[in-house]
């Protein structure tokens, strides 16, 4: 006879047994525990995947800028499209999160991330080969010598591109207009990545917090976020590797290329890593398809675990039936949206926390997006090396800081007041260290006619055409070309033509120009000086780079040490039924008002410091070749310092509000103490009404913190 029994009736019966008479309750408890651990592992890998893709895209911003010949502000728009994708779905996903199957929604998100990565690769297969700017030189049939300075240069002596066949050179005059807009594929791919990443953070974190012990949730979240930080580490390492590979690897003879990765015209194989990112995101989606809608609360006793499930009797055996996902009515969800939003923003602690998050997003996104460009221009290091150092030094430091922050919360059992105090102190210390960045200065690159005069020679033209001097007036140099050479005098010239070079030896990267009339190196007579390909190295800048890197590592560690406590303040200041929605609103505010505008206005202001723009083959300005490094440093570091000064003020306000709300004799602190130290011998949750995850707690329920 089949029937259904209650939980109270089960208390008088022996533990559930299988056909062989063995207790199965312990097995079920272990099974549920393992499912939570599986979810933790799957979520950590999804954090890895999104961090892997995101950091790789950040590391490739300079390569994308040069490949599509676009300005930093346009790169900022491409970067901001990720935040637009988040905006499109974040609120809906966060609000409906507890009411839908969270693991499966995360799985769909990972698949969309994978699709976005593959879409971003499309321009590489639709565009032709990359042709970088180079000087036109004359070829003497009776000699291997090349002359950069010739009055009849453009009329009598056409030149072949080293990376093109004669047929391609004949037809390569101007790229098709449609190719100029192929960067829109990258923008749309980034948009899809933003849509796909939206559910991972709010749904994953709220799922952990719902089904783990309160004292363990901060530690679990810290572990997941720390494990996820290995994604950015490997993403930057992959970016460093791809940045060292030529964009058209496998098609072009690398030995024929006359530039190296330190050159501002170099474009790495930016598309190659995106294929790997897409595959990783696809793999991350697989485990979530097999995880349940909900789990029993971690640490509940036997009766409480049984009470989560309806129990049916079949003959002499008991069968525990899994919980059924509730049917979600869209009309009810929409009706409750505005009251729920009003309740959330009626919490002053949460409101200040959101404002703090917005400022932190602005400073962090601006810092990361243009960090490699800053290192390249300021300290004379290649983009590939800058990416590598970020991956192997800075990111492991942040992982350690985030993990240690979560561990300290668990170790010392910090309440929300302790978390706020700890987070505020660490941020202010990091801010004071941040001000020391301004001491790491570097001189502007000396470019003849641009930042320094032509070795004391009288300028023959106005400031607008200051590249022309008496030493190169007869060379018929093209004003819009950028193929720099370094003279023996330590000054960089825009091209060998502007250096007045009459002959050369060697080929490719080893080419050396001689008889350069504008180069007056010490010990060389006029007309006998030489120049080599590439910009002159600034040794003094390179020497200060290790100090900057050490300072940045210290700041990153201290900031991340207080990152997890800051994040947990949000969970401890809102009611349990609003946790998922709060995460979504916090992430949405940070993305829309921080992640979206920050790359754009950072990029636009950085563009203002450009001294020399590149030129597209069809005309118009391309990407920047030379920056005013002092102005670049003041704008880049000044914006970050200003935003973080606002964060320091909001941390103080947040601490004051939390101290007022969570006083020792306040209702919130009394409820926390009753939960953590129950006086009754009965389980804390034994008299609570059973609710589904994400369901609202009644107004007289003891979990409400609003």
């Amino acid at each position: 006879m089949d029937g259904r029994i209650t939980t109270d009736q089960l208390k008088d019966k022996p533990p559930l047994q299988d056909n062989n008479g063995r207790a199965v309750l312990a097995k079920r408890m272990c099974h549920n525990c393992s499912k939570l651990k599986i979810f933790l592992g799957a979520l950590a890998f999804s954090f890895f995947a999104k961090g892997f893709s995101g950091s790789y895209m950040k590391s490739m911003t300079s390569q994308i800028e040069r490949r599509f010949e676009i300005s930093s502000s346009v790169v900022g728009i491409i970067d901001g499209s990720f935040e637009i994708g988040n905006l499109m779905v974040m609120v809906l996903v966060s609000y409906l999160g507890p009411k839908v199957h969270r693991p499966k929604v995360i799985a769909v998100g990972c698949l969309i991330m994978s699709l976005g990565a593959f879409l971003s690769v499309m321009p590489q297969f639709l565009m032709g080969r990359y042709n970088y700017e180079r000087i036109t030189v004359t070829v003497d049939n009776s000699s291997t010598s090349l002359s950069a300075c010739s009055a009849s240069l453009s009329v009598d002596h056409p030149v072949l591109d080293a990376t093109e066949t004669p047929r391609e050179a004949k037809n390569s005059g101007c790229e098709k207009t449609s190719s100029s807009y192929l960067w829109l594929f990258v923008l749309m791919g980034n948009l899809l990545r933003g849509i796909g990443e939206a559910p991972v953070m709010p749904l994953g974190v709220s799922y952990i917090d719902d089904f783990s012990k309160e004292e363990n949730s901060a530690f679990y979240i810290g572990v997941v976020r720390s494990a996820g930080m290995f994604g950015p580490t490997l993403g930057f390492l992959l970016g460093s590797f791809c940045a060292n590979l030529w964009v058209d690897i496998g098609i072009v003879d690398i030995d024929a290329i006359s530039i190296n990765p330190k050159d501002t015209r170099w474009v790495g194989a930016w598309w190659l890593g995106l294929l790997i990112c897409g595959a990783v995101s696809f793999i991350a989606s697989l485990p979530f398809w097999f995880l349940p809608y909900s789990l029993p609360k971690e640490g509940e006793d036997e009766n409480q675990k049984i009470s989560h499930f309806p129990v049916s009797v079949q003959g002499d055996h008991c069968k525990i039936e899994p919980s059924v996902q509730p049917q979600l009515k869209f009309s009810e969800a929409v009706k409750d949206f505005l009251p729920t939003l009003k309740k959330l923003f009626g919490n002053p602690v949460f409101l200040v926390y959101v404002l703090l998050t917005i400022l932190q997003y602005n400073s962090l996104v601006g810092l990361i997006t243009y960090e490699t460009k800053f290192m390249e221009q300021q300290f004379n290091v290649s983009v590939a090396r800058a990416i590598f150092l970020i991956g192997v030094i800075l990111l492991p430091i942040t992982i350690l800081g985030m993990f240690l922050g979560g561990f300290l919360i668990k170790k010392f059992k910090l309440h929300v007041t302790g978390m706020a105090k700890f987070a505020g102190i660490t941020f202010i210390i990091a801010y004071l260290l941040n001000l020391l960045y301004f001491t790491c200065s570097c001189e502007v690159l000396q470019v003849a006619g641009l930042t320094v005069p032509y070795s004391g020679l009288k300028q023959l033209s106005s400031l607008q055409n200051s590249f022309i001097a008496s030493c190169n007036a007869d060379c018929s140099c093209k004003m819009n070309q950028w193929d720099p050479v370094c003279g023996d005098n330590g000054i960089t010239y825009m091209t060998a033509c502007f250096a007045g070079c009459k002959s050369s030896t060697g080929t490719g990267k080893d080419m050396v120009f001689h008889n350069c009339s504008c180069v007056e190196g010490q010990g060389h007579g006029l007309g006998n000086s030489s120049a080599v390909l590439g910009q002159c190295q600034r040794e003094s800048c390179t020497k200060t780079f290790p100090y900057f890197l050490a300072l940045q590592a210290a700041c990153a560690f201290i900031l991340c040490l207080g990152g997890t406590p800051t994040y947990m303040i949000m969970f401890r200041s809102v009611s349990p039924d609003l946790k998922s929605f709060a995460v979504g609103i916090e992430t949405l505010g940070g993305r829309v008002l921080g992640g979206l505008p920050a790359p754009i206005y950072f990029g636009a202001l950085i563009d203002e410091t450009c001294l020399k723009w590149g030129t597209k083959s069809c005309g118009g300005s391309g990407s920047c070749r030379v920056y005013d490094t002092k102005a670049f440093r003041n704008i880049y570091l000044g914006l970050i310092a200003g935003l973080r000064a606002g964060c320091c003020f909001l941390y103080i306000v947040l601490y004051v509000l939390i101290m007022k709300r969570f006083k020792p004799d306040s209702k919130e602190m009394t409820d926390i103490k009753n939960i953590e130290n129950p006086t009754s011998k009965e389980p804390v949750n034994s008299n609570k009404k059973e609710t589904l995850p994400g369901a609202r707690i009644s107004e007289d329920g003891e979990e409400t913190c609003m």
Side-chain angles (χ1 to χ4, degrees), residues 23 36 38 86 90 97 101 160 178 228 382 406 435 443 487 501 609 614 672 697:
L36 179 61
I38 290 173
N86 265 255
M90 178 61 73
H101 198 300
L160 294 181
S178 58
S382 67
L435 297 178
E443 73 271 12
C501 301
T609 68
I672 292 175
I697 308 297

Side-chain angles (χ1 to χ4, degrees), residues 32-58:
N32 292 328
C33 179
S34 65
K35 281 190 175 181
L36 179 61
K37 291 180 179 178
I38 290 173
F39 181 83
L40 288 173
L43 187 65
F45 189 72
S46 68
F47 270 57
F48 170 88
K50 73 184 185 69
F52 184 69
S53 301
S55 62
Y56 181 80
M57 281 298 297
K58 290 287 186 184

Side-chain angles (χ1 to χ4, degrees), residues 609-666:
T609 68
C610 183
L611 297 177
K612 171 60 181 173
W613 290 94
T615 305
K616 297 180 181 179
S617 57
C618 297
S621 61
S623 58
C624 186
R625 303 306 187 200
V626 180
Y627 289 91
D628 182 342
T629 53
K630 290 184 178 179
F632 191 159
R633 181 182 71 250
N634 292 335
I635 286 178
Y636 178 72
L637 297 180
L639 280 174
I640 295 171
L643 291 168
R644 289 182 174 176
C647 291
C648 290
F649 173 75
L650 290 179
Y651 263 112
I652 296 173
V653 174
L654 186 65
Y655 177 71
V656 172
L657 290 176
I658 289 176
M659 289 298 294
K660 287 183 178 180
R661 178 173 171 180
F662 294 92
K663 293 179 180 178
D665 56 345
S666 65

Side-chain angles (χ1 to χ4, degrees), residues 57-72:
M57 281 298 297
K58 290 287 186 184
S59 69
M60 289 292 107
T61 53
S62 294
Q63 314 301 321
I64 293 173
E65 177 181 344
R66 297 168 186 173
R67 180 64 183 96
F68 296 99
E69 290 291 350
I70 53 180
S71 64
S72 296

Side-chain angles (χ1 to χ4, degrees), residues 440-488:
C440 300
S441 61
C442 184
E443 73 271 12
V444 180
L445 178 67
Q446 292 185 328
V447 181
L450 188 64
T451 60
V452 294
Y454 273 89
S455 303
L457 296 179
K458 182 181 178 181
Q459 301 291 331
L460 297 182
S461 57
S462 63
L463 183 62
Q464 183 177 1
N465 297 315
S466 59
F467 304 110
I468 304 300
S470 59
C471 58
N472 58 24
D474 298 329
C475 292
S476 302
C477 302
K478 294 183 178 179
M479 300 298 298
N480 58 357
Q481 285 185 328
W482 177 260
D483 190 7
V485 294
C486 178
D488 287 342

Side-chain angles (χ1 to χ4, degrees), residues 255-260 504-514 531-533:
D255 295 331
I257 299 173
S258 61
I259 59 176
N260 57 48
S504 68
T505 57
T507 58
K509 298 184 181 71
D510 300 323
M511 183 180 293
V512 179
F513 293 92
H514 302 284
V532 295
L533 287 173

